Amino acid sequence: MYSEKVMDHFANPRNVGELDDANAVGEVGNAKCGDIMKIYMKIEDNIIKEVKFKTFGCGAAVATSSMATEMVKGKTIDDALKLTNKAVMEALDGLPPAKVHCSVLAEEAINAAIFDYYKRQGIEPPVEIKCSGCCADCHKHD
Amino acid sequence: MTKSVYLDNSATTPLKKEVLDEMMPYLCEHYGNPSSIYKIGREAKAAIETARQKVATSIGADSKEIFFTGCGTEADNWAIKGIAQAKEKKGKHIITSKIEHHAVLHTLESLEKQGYEVTYLNVDEYGKISLDDLRSAIRPDTILITIMAANNEVGTIQPIAEIGAIAKEHGVLFHTDAVQAIGSMEIDVKAMNIDLLSLSAHKFGGPKGVGALYARRNVLPSVFMHGGAQERARRAGTENVASIVGLGKAIELATSNIESKTAKIRAMRDRLIKEIPEKIPYIKLNGHPTDRLPGNVNFSFNFIEGEALLLMLDLNGIAASSGSACTSGSLDPSHVLLALGLPHEIAHGSLRLSIGESNTTEDIDYVLEVLPGIVQRLRDMSPLYEKVSKEMR
Ligand SMILES: Cc1ncc(COP(=O)(O)O)c(C=O)c1O
Ligand code: FES
């Protein structure tokens, strides 16, 4: 049911862990629904120098966290904000329909971390940041 | 090479060699239609009747009371819809439990849409219904009590003889889904006052896609399939002869010496139940401590999610199952675990290991060897565990 890429990122996830000196942390999801993603970033000169994640969730949740962190590592904040769940899914050679929400969660976690960065820097976040990590509601598993 | 350990015997079991051997001649050699009068037709018919007798004997019924079906789900559908229709004049109230298989629950939901009323009995933290609750749920218009003999997820065994006695006392019919129970515990439909019972061959070494409904004499659910005269014209359609023969052989094997056969399985179960918690902290056993299927082990592991656990186990060659939402494709984790009172986040992290006749001590050793590392690996990835491990420090 999962592609080889998904299984690879699940079995050997990249960037797992925490960053003690993170200056951007985003957490989305809800234990009640069975998925939580937490992303740590170290941002310098608008560049995401380091990124780590911790995920409570299914195989797809782990794989999308792994892939999304790979895709934003070394990128500018602006580029990272452009990352879509669709791009993450494509990079993983697709996800089963019931698992699309996991890639949405990954996109939101990246957004939430950057939102946190702006907040810490005392900068008004640009309007295009959709998710501040407030969306603790259950996404539909359809 | 990774090992291969099958611990999902509640999902299905391997077909036994002896069963396959009995089935084979009915595929190519004795291919006649059982309704035909010539020799190869009569042979097929005789084989079906022998199988019917074997099913009857194994549950203490009469062969006239056994109807073959396409699966356990069909037997459940037939028993419930068939009695609902047949007893419509008496009333439209049915009693069940919250932890039935979807084959029962979704059938009842469909009846609710047609104006039937259903009482869903609660279960306690171990998954048992209360007999007092059952007694007080019975009304003059109650036509059926349907409660499973043993639960497929957590393995809890219900007091079916007591339920049967209560049903009889109140003149209400009693159906039990015994799909998981056959071969794991003694069942005598007469002694236990069971009026209808569903079973399925693939759960005890038989082929997939064949089951049976037992319906006590004079307790006739309405016709399920209209057509020819097969199954006394109540479930028409040319019989799946080879599979029915396989069901007969499998049930004969599964229900002989249940005690000695299950002793070995029970010992493996008890070892997992004892040793997994010794090796892994923050876990909970789901289901009843003693009144449970001999092969059922079900634990919830805090801070991790069941599907990820299953995938990791699969990468290590272990086949198991879980009640997490992510494996069911629905939003909620298993209705059974929720009915036992588990919070959602704990229910997501459940693991069912179901042991069967082909498992060995080495299989159990292997699970005990690899499971702790897998759980730890997933916990190290989990933001929920992060909080706990920080508090511990
Ligand atoms: C308790 C219970 N009832 C019914 C069924 C359905 O049986 P079948 O797969 O033969 O339709 C199962 C099997 O999953 C079961 O465990
Ligand atoms: S976050 Fe995945 S279902 Fe709610």
Side-chain angles (χ1 to χ4, degrees):
Chain A
M1 94 182 192
Y2 286 135
S3 70
E4 270 175 40
K5 278 247 178 77
V6 172
M7 282 313 289
D8 175 40
H9 277 264
F10 169 70
N12 314 291
R14 333 299 197 248
N15 314 311
V16 184
E18 296 164 53
L19 279 180
D20 287 336
D21 55 349
N23 58 3
V25 180
E27 182 175 316
V28 296
N30 179 334
K32 197 171 171 231
C33 333
D35 317 62
I36 299 179
M37 279 184 205
K38 189 167 180 184
I39 292 205
Y40 300 82
M41 291 177 180
K42 200 170 151 196
I43 302 177
E44 274 170 29
D45 303 330
N46 270 332
I47 307 248
I48 299 168
K49 293 275 185 196
E50 280 181 75
V51 56
K52 295 267 182 208
F53 80 87
K54 287 246 172 135
T55 289
F56 161 76
C58 63
V62 173
T64 53
S65 313
S66 166
M67 183 53 94
T69 52
E70 279 289 274
M71 291 171 86
V72 301
K73 196 154 69 177
K75 295 279 164 59
T76 64
I77 292 181
D78 287 348
D79 282 345
L81 286 174
K82 285 190 200 118
L83 181 78
T84 61
N85 77 301
K86 213 165 145 252
V88 176
M89 280 205 294
E90 273 165 17
L92 286 167
D93 292 341
L95 285 174
K99 301 292 179 176
V100 173
H101 79 272
C102 303
S103 66
V104 175
L105 210 61
E107 178 191 320
E108 286 177 358
I110 303 273
N111 276 266
I114 295 174
F115 185 92
D116 178 58
Y117 174 72
Y118 279 122
K119 217 173 59 188
R120 292 195 200 194
Q121 304 293 314
I123 306 170
E124 184 66 24
V127 278
E128 70 264 28
I129 299 194
K130 289 154 292 201
C131 186
S132 58
C134 52
C135 35
D137 293 347
C138 287
H139 298 262
K140 234 189 162 65
H141 267 147
D142 53 10
Chain B
M1 216 196 79
T2 45
K3 278 178 74 105
S4 162
V5 173
Y6 184 72
L7 283 168
D8 205 13
N9 288 278
S10 282
T12 195
T13 56
L15 185 71
K16 284 184 186 145
K17 178 75 174 59
E18 306 97 294
V19 175
L20 177 66
D21 289 346
E22 294 234 348
M23 290 170 69
M24 284 307 275
Y26 294 94
L27 290 166
C28 294
E29 222 175 299
H30 309 299
Y31 55 81
N33 188 316
S35 302
S36 304
I37 59 161
Y38 40 76
K39 185 164 176 286
I40 55 168
R42 293 195 309 271
E43 280 165 357
K45 179 81 181 166
I48 291 175
E49 294 317 312
T50 305
R52 198 186 307 281
Q53 186 57 55
K54 286 179 178 172
V55 174
T57 306
S58 71
I59 58 170
D62 189 89
S63 70
K64 287 200 185 62
E65 299 171 316
I66 305 297
F67 299 87
F68 292 114
T69 64
C71 57
T73 300
E74 184 187 317
D76 284 339
N77 269 263
W78 188 7
I80 295 168
K81 290 181 196 161
I83 291 301
Q85 211 178 353
K87 296 276 167 190
E88 203 175 17
K89 292 225 166 58
K90 183 192 169 195
K92 290 192 155 193
H93 179 238
I94 299 173
I95 300 171
T96 190
S97 84
K98 285 193 176 155
I99 64 167
E100 298 298 308
H101 191 271
H102 282 146
V104 167
L105 290 180
H106 290 169
T107 301
L108 290 169
E109 277 165 30
S110 83
L111 287 177
E112 283 178 305
K113 292 201 184 88
Q114 297 168 37
Y116 286 82
E117 232 188 294
V118 180
T119 299
Y120 298 89
L121 297 178
N122 284 319
V123 292
D124 65 17
E125 61 176 309
Y126 303 117
K128 286 241 191 193
I129 65 144
S130 138
L131 295 172
D132 287 337
D133 286 357
L134 172 63
R135 264 190 215 97
S136 45
I138 298 174
R139 318 191 307 209
D141 62 341
T142 306
I143 49 174
L144 179 68
I145 295 168
T146 173
I147 291 176
M148 69 200 321
N151 183 268
N152 45 305
E153 279 185 51
V154 296
T156 303
I157 294 170
Q158 301 295 348
I160 47 172
E162 287 83 349
I163 297 170
I166 293 170
K168 187 177 180 191
E169 181 191 327
H170 290 83
V172 177
L173 294 177
F174 172 38
H175 165 251
T176 191
D177 174 337
V179 169
Q180 293 288 336
I182 298 289
S184 286
M185 54 193 258
E186 301 285 350
I187 291 185
D188 183 323
V189 292
K190 296 276 142 54
M192 293 170 157
N193 288 302
I194 297 168
D195 297 299
L196 302 118
L197 175 147
S198 308
L199 59 89
S200 178
H202 72 102
K203 306 286 184 179
F204 47 81
K208 293 168 183 60
V210 63
L213 175 66
Y214 149 82
R216 184 194 289 276
R217 196 188 308 259
N218 301 328
V219 174
L220 273 183
S222 63
V223 173
F224 191 68
M225 281 288 171
H226 298 270
Q230 296 91 349
E231 301 304 290
R232 294 162 62 215
R234 309 200 80 78
R235 200 270 189 188
T238 300
E239 301 87 339
N240 186 349
V241 183
S243 290
I244 289 171
V245 168
L247 166 56
K249 182 65 183 175
I251 204 165
E252 182 182 60
L253 293 172
T255 54
S256 56
N257 311 315
I258 291 185
E259 211 31 65
S260 64
K261 245 189 328 223
T262 53
K264 185 185 137 219
I265 294 174
R266 203 181 297 272
M268 291 191 257
R269 173 197 75 183
D270 291 343
R271 190 166 156 228
L272 286 175
I273 289 179
K274 178 171 174 285
E275 294 185 24
I276 290 176
E278 290 171 0
K279 291 174 185 276
I280 307 176
Y282 304 112
I283 71 175
K284 179 186 181 307
L285 178 71
N286 297 317
H288 199 278
T290 50
D291 290 341
R292 69 188 300 143
L293 288 172
N296 178 284
V297 176
N298 188 312
F299 279 107
S300 279
F301 298 83
N302 291 21
F303 324 121
I304 63 176
E305 191 280 323
E307 191 219 63
L309 184 54
L310 293 188
L311 288 173
M312 282 282 181
L313 287 167
D314 184 35
L315 289 171
N316 285 277
I318 299 172
S321 111
S322 167
S324 97
C326 296
T327 55
S328 68
S330 76
L331 194 61
D332 285 318
S334 127
H335 65 283
V336 176
L337 298 175
L338 295 181
L340 264 59
L342 258 67
H344 277 67
E345 49 272 37
I346 308 297
H348 283 298
S350 77
L351 173 70
R352 179 187 74 182
L353 301 168
S354 43
I355 306 162
E357 281 181 47
S358 47
N359 288 118
T360 61
T361 315
E362 288 73 43
D363 293 346
I364 305 304
D365 292 342
Y366 181 64
V367 169
L368 287 166
E369 181 193 318
V370 301
L371 185 61
I374 289 174
V375 170
Q376 193 55 47
R377 190 151 173 235
L378 289 170
R379 282 181 175 170
D380 286 341
M381 262 191 235
S382 167
L384 298 171
Y385 186 63
E386 182 181 305
K387 287 171 192 141
V388 175
S389 58
K390 279 202 180 116
E391 274 159 27
M392 282 191 312
R393 266 186 249 145

